Amino acid sequence: MTGERRDAVSSAYSTRRVRRHDELVALLELHEPRSSHALGEVLDRGLPSRSCRAWIVEDTERHPAAAVVLVRPTFDRWHAMVLLLDQRAAADVAAIVDRSPAWSVTGVATDIAPVVPLLRRRSFVDVRPWVVTAYPNDVTDVADDSTRLANPSDLDALVELYSTFEFVAGLTAWQLRSMLRHMLDRHYIIVVEQPGGEGVLVGALAVMTRTRRYGTLGLLTVVPEHRGAGWSWALVARAQAIGNALGLAGIAALAGSNPMDLEDHLGDDAYVAVHLVAPRRFRGQGRLRDLYGRVQPLHPREPIWFREPGEPTRIGD
């Protein structure tokens, strides 16, 4: 999209930084569960705060057309979440994300799909099935439940477990430690230990955020050599029980390669994660790129939708 076209689309809308915590919470609560992840982060971190920022896009009558919430899950990485109420505001949302320090942006497909082609910093797009359960959760029956809640003494083992996890690839050990420490302090991480192993974790699942109605589940992983033993179902069963105890329904985005079939779900939408080009270039990056290009040819970056492993489909620009 050219600059002229983008300005024309944006002329009917205005963007403002949100300063009032209660204003943003009220808006996000109206649109749960699609806004539950963003709402949970705002409730967790507070607004304004050093780890949470937000913007609202409004039409000429001051009606909300979109909201963008920016959070810092690690000490040096920002992540954006989108709620799009009027698709004509997609260009304004894309401009906010592009100017922000975010390394990624996510949302339900309804909210973020119109924004993706307009993102100038987009790298690639990951589409995952989106599951929303009803409360009370129907707890999965498992033969062997060896799960437990993690505690601060598990932090090193959790960093080791997630160091090869596909959805946190690229994070350093320090960044992982920062993110996981926050979850241990404020939420729940469910783990399963290697049978007979002393503190060796073979699987984990996190309750990442909570609102008054929903809990967001994520970071489900079992190490490859222990898959097929039912640990994923045991982790999910414990999360369902926790949800029932807290009076919460559940939300999760499953990897395309995840074979779990969660039948108790509402809606057929998808959850979209857009990975972005780094927001700021470091000094000397151009020279380093030239040097790398002499060793291995560089190919143009093409944004793609990963719908199924190994079967990418290009996005139309």
Side-chain angles (χ1 to χ4, degrees):
M1 174 175 282
T2 65
E4 275 185 19
R5 176 62 179 158
R6 189 163 180 170
D7 292 341
V9 173
S10 303
S11 61
Y13 299 90
S14 60
T15 301
R16 63 179 174 88
R17 179 85 173 266
V18 185
R19 304 290 182 181
R20 292 174 48 204
H21 178 89
D22 56 346
E23 176 190 17
L24 183 60
V25 169
L27 174 62
L28 296 177
E29 282 186 335
L30 285 175
H31 300 283
E32 287 196 272
R34 59 195 266 202
S35 61
S36 292
H37 190 187
L39 175 59
E41 292 283 9
V42 172
L43 294 173
D44 183 20
R45 301 173 186 277
L47 185 75
S49 72
R50 296 178 64 182
S51 62
C52 185
R53 308 172 186 173
W55 292 261
I56 288 180
V57 180
E58 297 174 323
D59 62 19
T60 54
E61 297 182 356
R62 302 295 300 274
H63 296 147
V68 178
V69 176
L70 204 67
V71 297
R72 186 164 56 181
T74 71
F75 64 90
D76 63 344
R77 291 286 179 96
W78 289 86
H79 170 70
M81 290 162 285
V82 169
L83 173 67
L84 185 65
L85 305 176
D86 184 344
Q87 292 195 8
R88 293 172 296 179
D92 298 79
V93 170
I96 294 171
V97 174
D98 279 331
R99 290 195 302 264
S100 78
W103 288 71
S104 58
V105 56
T106 59
V108 178
T110 302
D111 294 316
I112 201 169
V115 177
V116 172
L118 307 177
L119 290 169
R120 293 170 177 165
R121 289 200 292 119
R122 67 184 185 269
S123 175
F124 65 91
V125 184
D126 181 23
V127 181
R128 311 171 195 170
W130 193 54
V131 177
V132 183
T133 65
Y135 173 81
N137 299 281
D138 186 10
V139 179
T140 302
D141 185 22
V142 294
D144 182 15
D145 183 6
S146 300
T147 63
R148 62 174 177 83
L149 291 180
N151 57 64
S153 66
D154 293 308
L155 182 57
D156 289 340
L158 284 167
V159 172
E160 178 68 23
L161 174 67
Y162 281 116
S163 62
T164 56
F165 183 51
E166 58 184 316
F167 291 131
V168 293
L171 294 186
T172 67
W174 283 7
Q175 291 166 334
L176 272 175
R177 186 176 297 273
S178 171
M179 179 180 69
L180 294 169
R181 182 185 292 115
H182 178 84
M183 290 186 187
L184 286 171
D185 290 343
R186 304 297 297 271
H187 301 291
Y188 301 102
I189 300 180
I190 307 162
V191 297
V192 59
E193 293 185 4
Q194 177 176 307
E198 293 295 330
V200 178
L201 304 181
V202 299
L205 171 64
V207 181
M208 301 176 66
T209 63
R210 288 175 286 166
T211 72
R212 291 188 294 180
R213 299 171 55 199
Y214 294 94
T216 303
L217 307 180
L219 301 181
L220 171 62
T221 187
V222 175
V223 296
E225 56 267 31
H226 288 274
R227 292 175 183 172
W231 297 127
S232 292
W233 288 109
L235 291 166
V236 169
R238 175 62 67 96
Q240 291 168 330
I242 291 174
N244 286 342
L246 297 175
L248 301 176
I251 299 173
L254 300 178
S257 57
N258 193 328
M260 299 178 71
D261 181 17
L262 299 174
E263 295 182 356
D264 182 20
H265 63 84
L266 306 173
D268 298 316
D269 214 332
Y271 199 74
V272 181
V274 184
H275 301 256
L276 303 173
V277 176
R280 296 181 182 88
R281 292 179 176 268
F282 56 83
R283 188 174 182 180
Q285 182 170 337
R287 291 192 297 273
L288 181 61
R289 183 180 177 87
D290 291 340
L291 178 61
Y292 182 83
R294 297 175 191 173
V295 179
Q296 179 174 339
L298 298 175
H299 302 284
R301 186 184 302 276
E302 294 186 0
I304 53 179
W305 294 92
F306 284 96
R307 299 189 183 277
E308 294 293 340
E311 298 180 4
T313 303
R314 287 194 58 189
I315 303 175
D317 287 332

